């Protein structure tokens, strides 16, 4: 069987995929304004990268450079903490992104359906076309994912740039007043802002799942992460600052603002007229589609690698003969996303609860990431690390404490129902681990492999 196809990619190319999967425009921050207050929103856009995004990105940079293999995050945790915790981390990360694909499709289709006034049948046809296109791009490989991301990001970012330019002529309000939403306690305002901020600044580990398909991944990944964090911060901060200064009315920003809610689309209309509003509407559609596309590339490899370890059904290992990509896993993801879309009706309250639920699961995966990096430093101090967080091991422990404290603060002050749902969901990992280990043999079974290149997977498709 042939070896995995490796592609040459620049720092800029990997940045495009990273940025497309974790940001893709300033959509979503509007809800933080209405829920937590304009001043706190602007502050959190600057603070969350320092206390959350930078530590997580640095951890991903070290682990991705140290273990640049297929399966990324799953292999990191498995190597540092053992097969059980590796499987749990892979399970949580994969299934939460399956859910996220459905949510992103729902958000995208809200714009599409309202714009074209689609019937239910038309709605399903458009969804099928979108998922078919996303599946095809992912089957072709990461180079195709990159070029699609480039095209979509141009459509997404140009309207935001125009909002910033036109908005400068409408600066009539103080963007930081009031600082907090007076309708909520300050503790709840901060907790919600952090939860949404964590959701907006996340998934930096995604491209590491196809590290085995990118030449010199360990060299370009840390640089791409650094550029991505900076670009995300500017993309969130500038439109929010200028938008709040131009239109005010902070209390009706976001999904909960009622019939006259101020979203990115309404903001664009206010500062640039209907033409810019239409451009922003197209941008919103493209934003969710590009995130589905890029996050699928990051998700579908993990089940194939877990299957290699004898902890998931073998069909996940089936590859495209031509492109050497996990075609069955891609199709499975699309079918599941389609099913979630059909059964998922997201209300305003439901959307907030889903964000909190997802974020609580992310908390577990990111705490595990920090613990794994520290454990690997202790267990294998001489392991080659092309990029190393410039801290001693005791410094890493101190550096991980704020991330862990943030997680517990949000769990205490946010929706306990969402937290309970996350706990129930989390139990699926250990339960399924022992079931699949019994059925497929686990990492010690005869079907497990010692390394993680797709070239050794069944290529019968």
């Amino acid at each position: 069987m042939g070896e995995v196809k490796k592609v040459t990619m620049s720092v800029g190319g990997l940045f495009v995929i990273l940025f497309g999967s974790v940001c893709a425009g300033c959509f979503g921050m509007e809800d933080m304004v209405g829920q937590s207050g304009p001043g706190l929103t602007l502050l959190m856009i600057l603070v969350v990268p320092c206390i959350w995004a930078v530590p997580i990105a640095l951890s991903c940079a070290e682990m991705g450079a140290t273990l640049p293999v297929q399966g990324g995050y799953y292999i990191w945790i498995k190597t540092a903490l053992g097969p059980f915790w590796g499987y749990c981390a892979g399970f949580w990360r994969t299934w939460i992104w399956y859910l996220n694909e459905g949510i992103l499709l729902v958000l995208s289709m809200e714009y599409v359906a309202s714009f074209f006034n689609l019937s239910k049948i038309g709605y399903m046809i458009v969804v099928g076309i979108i998922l078919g296109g996303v599946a095809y791009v992912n089957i072709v490989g990461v180079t195709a994912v990159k070029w699609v991301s480039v095209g979509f990001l141009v459509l997404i970012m140009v309207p935001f740039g125009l909002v910033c330019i036109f908005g400068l002529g409408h600066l009539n309000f103080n963007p930081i007043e009031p600082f907090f939403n007076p309708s909520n306690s300050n503790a709840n305002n901060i907790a919600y802002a952090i939860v949404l901020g964590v959701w907006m600044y996340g998934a930096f580990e995604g491209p590491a799942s196809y590290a085995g398909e990118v030449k010199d991944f360990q060299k370009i990944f840390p640089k791409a992460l650094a550029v991505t964090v900076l670009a995300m911060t500017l993309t969130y901060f500038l439109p929010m600052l200028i938008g709040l200064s131009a239109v005010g009315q902070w209390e009706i920003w976001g999904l909960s603002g009622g019939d006259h809610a101020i979203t990115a689309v309404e903001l664009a209309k206010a500062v640039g007229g209907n033409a810019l509003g239409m451009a922003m509407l197209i941008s919103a559609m493209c934003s969710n589609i590009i995130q589905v596309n890029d996050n699928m590339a990051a998700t579908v490899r993990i089940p194939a690698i877990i299957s290699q370890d004898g902890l998931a059904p073998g069909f996940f290992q089936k590859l495209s003969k031509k492109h050497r990509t996990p075609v069955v896993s891609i199709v499975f993801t699309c079918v599941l996303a389609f099913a979630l879309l059909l059964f998922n009706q997201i209300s305003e309250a439901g959307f907030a609860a889903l964000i909190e639920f997802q974020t609580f699961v992310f908390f577990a995966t990111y705490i595990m990431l920090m613990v794994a990096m520290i454990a690997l430093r202790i267990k294998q101090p001489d392991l080659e690390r092309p990029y190393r967080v410039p801290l001693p091991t005791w410094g890493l422990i101190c550096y991980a404490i704020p991330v862990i404290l943030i997680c517990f603060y949000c769990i205490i002050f946010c929706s306990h129902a969402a937290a309970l749902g996350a706990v129930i969901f989390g139990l699926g990992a250990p339960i399924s681990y022992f079931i699949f280990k019994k059925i497929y043999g686990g990492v010690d079974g005869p079907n497990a492999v010692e390394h993680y290149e797709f070239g050794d997977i069944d290529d019968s498709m």
Side-chain angles (χ1 to χ4, degrees):
M1 296 184 185
E3 291 296 323
V4 61
K5 284 188 175 181
K6 285 185 176 285
V7 300
T8 300
M9 190 172 293
S10 66
V11 172
L14 192 58
F15 156 72
V16 167
I17 297 177
L18 255 171
F19 187 77
S21 64
V22 301
C23 179
C26 186
F27 297 104
M29 282 295 180
E30 311 100 312
D31 204 51
M32 189 187 296
V33 174
Q35 292 288 332
S36 298
L40 182 61
T41 296
L42 292 173
L43 178 63
M44 282 299 177
I45 290 174
L46 299 177
V47 169
V48 170
C50 299
I51 63 176
W52 179 267
V54 170
I56 297 299
L58 288 174
S59 301
C60 290
E62 177 168 322
M63 296 296 279
T66 305
L67 298 169
V69 295
Q70 294 294 87
Y73 177 81
Y74 163 69
I75 299 300
W76 302 347
I77 308 302
K78 176 192 166 185
T79 302
L81 303 178
F84 173 78
W85 289 113
Y87 175 85
C88 288
F91 178 99
W92 294 331
R93 202 254 180 237
T94 300
W95 281 97
I96 206 64
W97 277 108
Y98 284 153
L99 173 62
N100 197 58
E101 300 281 89
I103 292 173
L104 290 171
L105 276 170
V106 169
L107 294 175
S108 178
M109 289 308 300
E110 289 294 326
Y111 292 110
V112 174
S114 63
F115 181 70
F116 293 105
N117 193 26
L118 294 176
S119 65
K120 288 186 177 180
I121 294 176
Y123 187 93
M124 289 187 287
I125 290 173
V126 173
V127 171
I129 292 172
I130 292 173
L131 284 173
V134 168
Y136 176 77
V137 169
N138 274 271
I139 289 170
V140 171
V142 293
T143 300
V145 172
K146 177 191 74 174
W147 285 114
V148 169
S149 298
V150 169
F152 271 75
L153 281 177
V154 171
L155 294 174
I156 292 167
M157 297 309 297
V158 168
F160 280 107
L162 293 175
V163 164
C164 291
I165 293 171
F166 292 142
L168 292 174
H170 301 78
L171 303 182
N172 301 311
F173 300 90
N174 185 336
I176 62 172
E177 288 186 358
F179 191 82
F180 291 108
N181 180 351
S183 300
N184 304 322
S185 71
N186 291 344
N188 286 106
N189 285 329
I190 294 171
Y192 184 82
I194 292 176
V195 165
L196 186 56
V198 167
W199 189 65
M200 300 294 285
Y201 285 97
F204 296 113
E205 75 285 355
S209 66
Y210 46 82
E213 299 169 56
V214 179
K215 294 178 181 178
D216 298 321
F217 181 86
Q218 67 274 20
K219 296 179 181 178
I220 65 173
F221 187 48
K223 296 176 183 178
L225 282 167
V227 177
T228 299
V229 173
L230 178 59
M232 290 175 71
T233 304
L234 292 175
T235 300
Y236 293 146
F237 186 76
L238 292 178
M240 286 292 98
L241 176 65
I242 294 173
L244 284 166
S245 300
V247 305
Q249 303 179 81
W250 68 271
E251 64 276 2
I252 59 170
W253 280 55
L255 293 175
S256 58
D259 293 337
H260 302 289
I262 295 177
T263 62
V265 175
E266 295 303 317
L267 172 61
K269 285 183 181 179
V271 301
N274 289 333
L276 186 54
M278 183 61 64
M280 188 62 78
L281 178 65
I282 295 171
S283 175
M285 297 177 195
C286 293
S287 175
N288 291 303
I289 293 172
I290 191 179
Q291 288 186 72
V292 170
N293 184 61
D294 292 359
N295 283 316
M296 186 177 293
T299 300
V300 295
R301 273 78 177 170
I302 293 178
I305 302 304
I306 293 177
S307 177
Q308 281 193 12
D309 271 344
L311 290 169
F315 61 76
F316 283 115
Q317 299 181 40
K318 301 290 184 180
L319 297 188
S320 161
K321 282 185 178 180
K322 181 178 180 180
H323 302 292
R324 308 299 297 163
T325 50
V327 62
V328 172
S329 188
I330 291 169
V331 172
F332 175 83
T333 301
C334 289
V335 171
L336 188 59
F338 188 80
L340 287 170
L341 179 68
L342 294 181
F343 290 102
N344 197 6
Q345 298 296 320
I346 302 180
S347 64
E348 294 171 3
F351 181 72
L354 279 172
I355 289 178
E356 291 185 356
F357 166 76
Q358 281 189 290
T359 305
F360 291 151
V361 178
F362 286 141
F363 286 160
T365 60
Y366 287 132
I367 289 174
M368 201 172 292
L369 169 64
M370 307 294 283
V371 172
M373 181 174 62
I374 295 167
L376 197 63
R377 283 271 194 102
I378 294 171
K379 290 168 62 176
Q380 300 188 47
D382 298 325
L383 191 64
E384 182 180 356
R385 291 171 169 84
Y387 174 80
R388 180 187 179 98
V389 177
L391 290 172
T393 301
W394 64 265
L396 286 182
I397 296 172
C398 296
Y399 146 105
I401 290 174
V403 173
I404 295 171
L405 291 177
I406 287 171
C407 296
F408 284 107
Y409 179 88
C410 293
I411 290 171
I412 291 170
F413 287 101
C414 285
S415 168
H416 291 176
L420 179 60
V423 170
I424 294 171
F425 166 81
L427 291 175
I431 292 171
S432 60
Y433 172 81
F434 291 109
I435 292 173
F436 286 146
K437 185 177 181 181
K438 179 71 172 177
I439 296 173
Y440 301 110
V443 293
D444 299 322
N447 297 322
V449 297
E450 295 298 325
H451 57 93
Y452 303 92
E453 292 291 352
F454 282 158
D456 291 330
I457 305 178
D458 183 358
D459 62 352
S460 59
M461 295 190 67

